[in-house]
Amino acid sequence: MNNDWSKLKQSANQIPTNDSLLPYVLEVLKNGEEGTNHVIRTRVYDFLSIPEDIKNIKYPNYPDDDGILANRFSFSLSKLYKAGALVRPRRGIYQITEVGQRLLTQYGDQLTEKVLEEEPDYIRYMSELAERTERKSNALQEVNIDKADPEKVEIGKMVNQINNEIAIELLDKIRNSSPKFFEYLVVDLLVKMGYSGENGDAKITSYSNDNGIDGIINQDPLGTSTVYLQAKRYKEDNKVGRPAIQAFYGALAGVNADRGVFITTSDYSKEAKLYAKSQGIVLIDGIQLTDLMLKYQVGVEEAHQYTVFRIDNDYFELE
């Protein structure tokens, strides 16, 4: 591995590019230890002997910021995460994966963004991001948001982009959780959505006696209105088929129920969707699941809030 910073690809101001930093992030994490953004970039600074004057170059409008080079590490970390070369075991913490080790061994300091963009994990990530963006765009059009203030629309698009990326990471965490935790999660979500009613209750069923039903939500104290849940924690390429929906319908019939919600972290086959629709079963896929989790703040917390002002023309009418 090259350890001379001056040999890296640089922008006009001699600052190493996002692309050039990629292999060095993996290099300083190759022993498997975890690190924050700050720890990682400090190790890379030392490994490449990057001088202080380069590290301290700031954006003209943000003199108190960490600097341009520090900001570029954030982009590099994000790119490596999307390609599956890094994971985030905890908030703000990064760790190299088997994919990252393979890429480092195979490409060394020749690793580029183009290589990452050809990784299956990166392709899947961008495909899911595109689908989420399209769904949000269709939803905005349905409520005629396109006729609103153009500036407001642009801000909305930026917020959606950020939240879509958070939702993808959230779904990945859910897929790597235990099946039992996933059942607790979906029950918690439906309670937050108001399905348990004012005096109802919600619970998950025991494995030994679930009879094909993972959760039960009584919407009133007497249990006269009940929602039954089935939760399948599947990988993204493992779609729920019609047989699973038929089995759930059979479980609902066994308890004389007519209200069922099937939730998965993946998607449904066309046949499964048609059968569920004919039997009145509500289907929630992975994208819908995480969108609802963001909306009702289950497993997430608000990070930032910004206020956008507009002119109060009525005020000036007083003149």
Side-chain angles (χ1 to χ4, degrees):
M1 287 284 288
N2 164 62
N3 62 356
D4 180 356
W5 78 276
S6 65
K7 294 181 180 180
L8 301 184
K9 182 180 179 181
Q10 301 168 10
S11 54
N13 50 12
Q14 291 189 296
I15 301 176
T17 63
N18 305 339
D19 199 46
S20 69
L21 297 172
L22 295 171
Y24 299 98
V25 170
L26 297 181
E27 174 67 23
V28 300
L29 291 175
K30 67 180 182 181
N31 292 330
E33 65 269 30
E34 301 174 352
T36 63
N37 185 324
H38 177 75
V39 167
I40 291 168
R41 69 175 185 256
T42 299
R43 290 178 182 174
V44 174
Y45 292 162
D46 293 341
F47 183 86
L48 292 169
S49 300
I50 299 178
E52 290 297 319
D53 61 327
I54 298 298
K55 290 188 284 185
N56 291 331
I57 298 176
K58 312 282 187 178
Y59 291 103
N61 295 332
Y62 301 95
D64 297 325
D65 195 43
D66 288 335
I68 298 176
L69 184 55
N71 185 262
R72 289 182 177 177
F73 272 93
S74 297
F75 285 102
S76 298
L77 288 167
S78 176
K79 198 86 174 185
L80 289 163
Y81 171 78
K82 292 173 183 178
L86 297 178
V87 291
R88 296 184 184 126
R90 297 184 304 283
R91 186 171 67 177
I93 302 296
Y94 296 87
Q95 187 176 35
I96 196 169
T97 65
E98 290 183 4
V99 171
Q101 297 282 11
R102 172 177 59 78
L103 290 170
L104 184 61
T105 300
Q106 184 175 356
Y107 294 97
D109 54 23
Q110 301 303 305
L111 179 65
T112 63
E113 290 187 1
K114 184 177 180 181
V115 171
L116 295 182
E117 289 168 0
E118 294 173 352
E119 282 295 305
D121 283 349
Y122 187 87
I123 294 170
R124 280 194 294 268
Y125 184 100
M126 298 308 295
S127 175
E128 183 175 332
L129 183 60
E131 183 174 353
R132 287 178 182 274
T133 301
E134 182 179 2
R135 289 194 191 187
K136 289 284 180 64
S137 177
N138 292 337
L140 290 176
Q141 289 179 7
E142 288 177 5
V143 297
N144 294 320
I145 195 69
D146 54 318
K147 297 180 181 179
D149 181 355
E151 184 176 358
K152 185 176 180 180
V153 172
E154 286 305 310
I155 293 173
K157 288 180 179 179
M158 287 189 291
V159 171
N160 282 337
Q161 174 77 9
I162 294 170
N163 286 340
N164 284 341
E165 293 188 1
I166 294 297
I168 292 174
E169 184 175 352
L170 180 63
L171 188 55
D172 185 59
K173 283 184 175 293
I174 297 170
R175 286 174 178 148
N176 288 293
S177 66
S178 69
K180 202 65 176 177
F181 176 82
F182 181 49
E183 293 173 10
Y184 277 108
L185 185 154
V186 298
V187 169
D188 189 27
L189 174 61
L190 266 69
V191 169
K192 291 285 183 66
M193 293 173 65
Y195 274 84
S196 63
E198 186 175 348
N199 297 304
D201 65 77
K203 63 181 179 181
I204 64 170
T205 57
S206 64
Y207 276 155
S208 60
N209 192 34
D210 65 12
N211 295 316
I213 293 172
D214 296 325
I216 302 172
I217 297 179
N218 292 315
Q219 298 184 291
D220 63 84
L222 298 178
T224 60
S225 181
T226 305
V227 178
Y228 294 88
L229 309 176
Q230 176 69 270
K232 292 294 185 184
R233 185 186 54 87
Y234 285 174
K235 293 295 184 181
E236 65 275 5
D237 56 351
N238 186 12
K239 289 188 176 182
V240 176
R242 174 171 172 155
I245 307 300
Q246 287 178 311
F248 182 47
Y249 178 74
L252 294 175
V255 291
N256 297 315
D258 60 357
R259 304 184 70 188
V261 179
F262 198 111
I263 303 177
T264 184
T265 51
S266 61
D267 199 355
Y268 301 91
S269 69
K270 182 179 179 180
E271 295 76 16
K273 292 177 181 178
L274 290 172
Y275 184 80
K277 185 177 181 179
S278 69
Q279 303 302 333
I281 296 173
V282 176
L283 301 182
I284 298 177
D285 63 22
I287 291 179
Q288 292 170 300
L289 170 64
T290 48
D291 282 348
L292 289 170
M293 290 177 68
L294 263 61
K295 181 177 180 179
Y296 292 94
Q297 295 192 23
V298 175
V300 296
E301 58 187 5
E302 188 175 279
H304 301 289
Q305 189 175 74
Y306 301 94
T307 301
V308 178
F309 295 95
R310 65 181 179 186
I311 300 296
D312 181 1
N313 290 312
D314 292 339
Y315 176 83
F316 289 92
E317 291 295 326
L318 298 174
E319 184 176 10

